[in-house]
Amino acid sequence: MMNENVVAISSDFLRSFTALPRQIQGKVTDFTSKFRNNPRSPGINYEKIHYATDNRIYSVRIDDTYRGIVARQEESGVYLLLWVDHHDKAYDWAKRKKCAVNPQTGNLQVFDIQQVGIIEESSTVSPGLFSHVTDNELLALGAPKDQLNIVRALSSVEEFYEASSSIPEDAYEALEWIANGFTPQEVLELFSGEKEDVPEDNDFAAALQNPRSQKTFVIVEEEEELRRMMAEPLEKWRVFLHPTQREIVKRDYSGPARVLGGAGTGKTVVAMHRAKWLAGRLRGKEKLLFTTFTTNLAEDIKDNLQKICTVEEQNHIEVVNLDAWVVQFLREQEYPYSIEYDDNILNKIWEEAIIMSGEEIELPISFFSDEWAKIVNGQEAFSAELYLKASRLGRGTSLTGKERMQVWHVFEEYQKLMEEKQLRDVDTAMYECRKILENTNEGSRYASIIVDEGQDLSMNAYRLLRALAGAERSNDIFIVGDAHQRIYKKRAVLSWCGINIRGRSSYLRINYRTTEEIRKFAFGLLKGVTFDDLNGGFDAGEACHSLTHGKAPQVEIFKNAAEEFDFILAKLKQLLEHGVDLRNVCIVARTHRLLDDYIAQLNNAGIKTYEIRRSKLDERSFDGVRVATMHRVKGLEFEHVFVVAVNKRVVPPVSAIDYTDPVTVEEAITAEKCLLYVALTRAQKSAYITGYGSPSEFLA
């Protein structure tokens, strides 16, 4: 008996779709909709491809000029959309392809064939890139037996990279690790959790259920889902999850869970799909909170969730940055205080508090604000007695008992002034927000809480989230983060906040955004700096690896600003000549003042600009090269990135370095290095670092 039809779309199909002219994309979308509804329709003209390797692969007519390439297995009822292109190019692509279930891994693969026939394992092989790997190991890693000759013929890493489109994606990924120095045993161990049952009789339907197949194919069951996917084809990475990502997304955790990973490893993607999966299990008025540190990141996440979630799933998800949530909640509670975010205003209050205390103590204002946030609020030492007993481990300035009392007198005056002015700083507001929640005895407000950019949240923020989640239970809190991207000098230890993640931690190792060359360069900027794992341990960050390759970031330092701008302008024009949409290019500077100068110069040169600001999405419908500060590009990505004015005394700015003591100096410098790291790792294909005069010491 014939199975019900199953239609799946490959990542190659979407990639080829994005390269088509806009008017042809509309025709392809209409065809794909009809194909999904009924791939057996008489109106679909399947044509045999002469000299094709695989007799399951056919062409289908889009119009007089364009053809789709499909594979069909009628006995299982599976139809696969593989490629779409101009008639001749589509046929050339199809002739060299084979579609089959890998007998070792059980997943569905599409790959190039040089010759039909079996390569004997005992065959003599000439030395090559994988000459130290046995045939059995290559097969276990996912290389098709029909492709062993291709793999064996590769003599260099460069040849291997050039063959990336010929080798199945899962096999290429495994071989990539070996090409970069890992042993077959190490890689097999890395992928050991992905082993699945192998379907019998080359069954495509069964193979499509394999998580490794779902990295390459997606079964589209709803018309709405299909239209959304075709409207946002460049966002296909949100659809095709890696098996390790999918396993994290769909796991039932017995309590809080943490996911670490370097820039570009898909942490936010995992968090969003986690939200979608959990939301699909909620009923009635149950809600899930998805929160992050900044407003613009929250808005970006909200926009992206609309692309992958149904309306019903969206109704169960509340997306808001934590500060905004606190403001709204306290307003509902008729909280009598305003929250002051402006450091300049707070510094004036601290200055006044020092004077009113009458204490003669030689400490800068920054010391008092940090001590208040990290020790008093961090340890809830809100009395002189508690403050005198509080641990100051990690603070660079030592204090005698007498000096602690002097500092406490300043804190007392600060609290009086804040009370008079009806103000609260952020940490105090979060503490008082939590106390209100705890006193109401409402239990958990949310079925689950998901935290993005977890490295930027404070101790008080996590304690508040613990209170919002209620008593520990399954799937209550899910945190993704990376201390290498900590740009706000906040640091928390989850276990100290009542969030126990022991036995529920994962690490994402594959970078999907940047090339390996960009990743290595950016990571090199952090050399010598130690990073935490959000729970008091260390995160070396060295296990990450990129699967794409290109040129290393180009560093250019010029005599003056005019020469630097001429270089940037020439490169932008070059990109335009090569067909690059300037919406996929971003110019990043350290400060708003610098950014204004570049915007003015670009506009004078006839280059449109679009500034990414706080609380403002990168609205893709607007033309122009994107411009943003280093803080604002966090969470975003672009094909090409220019990090400009990387000059001495600019990166880092003198004003950003707090010279109170060696510890605060180190904290400030680390945050600035992280900013530069974040800016560079926004780049997918190319990165340029420019400056003038003396270069930043970070480039030495």
Side-chain angles (χ1 to χ4, degrees), residues 216-235:
T216 308
F217 293 94
V218 60
I219 299 171
V220 185
E221 296 176 346
E222 303 289 337
E223 180 71 18
E224 180 188 354
E225 182 185 3
L226 174 65
R227 292 284 176 178
R228 204 164 50 236
M229 193 187 308
M230 301 299 284
E232 298 281 348
L234 292 175
E235 306 293 334

Side-chain angles (χ1 to χ4, degrees), residues 231-367:
E232 298 281 348
L234 292 175
E235 306 293 334
K236 65 181 185 297
W237 55 272
R238 304 187 194 281
V239 178
F240 300 100
L241 292 177
H242 188 275
T244 55
Q245 294 175 320
R246 183 173 286 103
E247 196 272 334
I248 293 169
V249 165
K250 296 188 176 182
R251 184 187 301 174
D252 272 309
Y253 296 96
S254 58
R258 176 204 60 192
V259 180
L260 299 178
T265 54
K267 296 182 298 298
T268 302
V269 175
V270 165
M272 289 194 297
H273 278 275
R274 177 76 175 170
K276 173 181 171 64
W277 185 71
L278 288 172
R281 304 168 77 183
L282 300 183
R283 299 292 180 267
K285 295 183 179 180
E286 288 181 313
K287 283 278 188 178
L288 175 156
L289 176 65
F290 195 128
T291 191
T292 188
F293 186 65
T294 65
T295 305
N296 61 321
L297 283 177
E299 290 299 316
D300 190 57
I301 287 166
K302 188 184 295 183
D303 184 59
N304 286 321
L305 280 170
Q306 290 174 358
K307 297 171 184 175
I308 65 170
C309 294
T310 64
V311 173
E312 186 177 350
E313 288 165 347
Q314 290 175 54
N315 289 337
H316 288 292
I317 303 173
E318 181 181 341
V319 183
V320 62
N321 72 297
L322 195 56
D323 283 347
W325 191 95
V326 169
V327 169
Q328 179 61 36
F329 175 79
L330 292 176
R331 188 182 293 124
E332 293 170 359
Q333 303 299 313
E334 298 182 350
Y335 189 66
Y337 306 100
S338 300
I339 303 175
E340 183 55 70
Y341 296 93
D342 192 325
D343 286 337
N344 292 322
I345 293 174
L346 289 171
N347 285 342
K348 288 178 181 177
I349 297 172
W350 279 115
E351 194 173 331
E352 192 176 349
I354 294 168
I355 295 169
M356 290 179 65
S357 74
E359 298 288 354
E360 295 183 5
I361 186 168
E362 296 296 323
L363 291 169
I365 291 170
S366 60
F367 168 85

Side-chain angles (χ1 to χ4, degrees), residues 71-87:
R72 66 180 187 183
Q73 189 182 58
E74 294 190 337
E75 58 269 33
S76 65
V78 170
Y79 295 77
L80 309 172
L81 286 160
L82 303 180
W83 193 259
V84 60
D85 211 331
H86 187 278
H87 179 285

Side-chain angles (χ1 to χ4, degrees), residues 16 19-21 24 28 59-60 62-69 83-94:
S16 60
L20 298 176
I24 302 301
V28 175
S59 79
V60 288
I62 305 297
D63 65 9
D64 291 341
T65 307
Y66 286 84
R67 297 290 185 272
I69 302 299
W83 193 259
V84 60
D85 211 331
H86 187 278
H87 179 285
D88 293 345
K89 292 180 179 178
Y91 272 62
D92 287 342
W93 184 91

Side-chain angles (χ1 to χ4, degrees), residues 393-687:
L393 188 67
R395 297 288 284 148
T397 301
S398 60
L399 298 175
T400 64
K402 180 183 176 182
E403 288 170 333
R404 281 208 195 198
M405 276 310 302
Q406 290 177 304
V407 170
W408 180 256
H409 291 154
V410 176
F411 290 159
E412 286 180 324
E413 295 301 330
Y414 172 75
Q415 292 179 87
K416 289 176 186 176
L417 287 168
M418 294 292 280
E419 190 71 27
E420 289 172 9
K421 299 174 186 293
Q422 295 283 280
L423 294 176
R424 289 290 188 266
D425 54 66
V426 176
D427 280 304
T428 304
M430 283 194 177
Y431 168 78
E432 293 179 347
C433 179
R434 173 165 62 88
K435 287 302 178 182
I436 293 171
L437 279 168
E438 290 172 349
N439 292 332
T440 57
N441 294 317
E442 291 183 13
S444 60
R445 283 192 159 227
Y446 297 96
S448 296
I449 295 174
I450 293 176
V451 181
D452 190 33
E453 302 290 354
Q455 74 281 347
D456 289 328
L457 270 60
S458 66
M459 297 283 280
N460 274 302
Y462 277 116
R463 287 174 181 143
L464 172 59
L465 291 171
R466 179 69 277 172
L468 277 174
E472 184 176 304
R473 64 191 186 284
S474 61
N475 301 324
D476 55 349
I477 302 175
F478 184 86
I479 301 162
V480 302
D482 175 23
H484 301 82
Q485 299 183 71
R486 181 180 289 124
I487 62 177
Y488 294 105
K489 295 188 284 188
K490 297 180 183 291
R491 185 168 179 170
V493 178
L494 295 174
S495 60
W496 296 359
C497 305
I499 299 175
N500 174 27
I501 57 165
R502 183 172 295 179
R504 295 184 291 273
S505 296
S506 305
Y507 203 104
L508 298 172
R509 294 181 174 90
I510 302 168
N511 184 314
Y512 298 96
R513 180 190 302 141
T514 66
T515 64
E516 179 66 1
E517 290 73 20
I518 295 173
R519 187 199 69 80
K520 277 186 175 179
F521 184 97
F523 195 76
L525 297 170
L526 305 176
K527 187 178 180 181
V529 183
T530 57
F531 293 92
D532 64 280
D533 64 354
L534 280 59
N535 201 39
F538 294 98
D539 176 16
E542 295 171 349
C544 289
H545 190 68
S546 300
L547 298 179
T548 59
H549 292 267
K551 293 181 179 178
Q554 186 174 341
V555 181
E556 298 286 347
I557 305 297
F558 300 91
K559 292 180 182 178
N560 52 56
E563 287 187 7
E564 182 206 40
F565 181 76
D566 288 343
F567 172 83
I568 295 167
L569 186 61
K571 287 294 179 182
L572 289 175
K573 289 179 177 179
Q574 209 175 72
L575 290 171
L576 278 169
E577 289 170 2
H578 285 85
V580 174
D581 190 329
L582 289 186
R583 287 175 290 191
N584 296 322
V585 181
C586 190
I587 292 173
V588 188
R590 177 61 181 85
T591 67
H592 284 286
R593 183 175 293 180
L594 277 168
L595 208 62
D596 290 341
D597 291 340
Y598 287 99
I599 291 171
Q601 291 183 82
L602 288 165
N603 290 339
N604 288 336
I607 302 290
K608 287 185 179 179
T609 59
Y610 179 90
E611 186 177 359
I612 300 169
R613 300 173 185 166
R614 182 180 174 85
S615 307
K616 182 181 178 183
L617 283 173
D618 179 10
E619 180 53 65
R620 304 297 290 178
S621 61
F622 289 97
D623 291 330
V625 61
R626 272 43 190 165
V627 292
T629 64
M630 291 181 178
H631 285 89
R632 293 283 78 81
V633 292
K634 193 171 187 184
L636 305 178
E637 57 187 43
F638 308 89
E639 289 182 3
H640 310 277
V641 170
F642 293 79
V643 186
V644 299
V646 187
N647 311 333
K648 191 173 183 178
R649 301 176 68 82
V650 174
V651 180
V654 175
S655 59
I657 307 301
D658 187 340
Y659 293 96
T660 304
D661 56 64
V663 172
T664 56
V665 169
E666 185 181 352
E667 284 180 348
I669 290 175
T670 297
E672 290 294 316
K673 285 184 175 181
C674 288
L675 261 180
L676 186 55
Y677 170 80
V678 166
L680 277 174
T681 53
R682 302 308 95 193
Q684 297 170 317
K685 296 180 178 179
S686 73

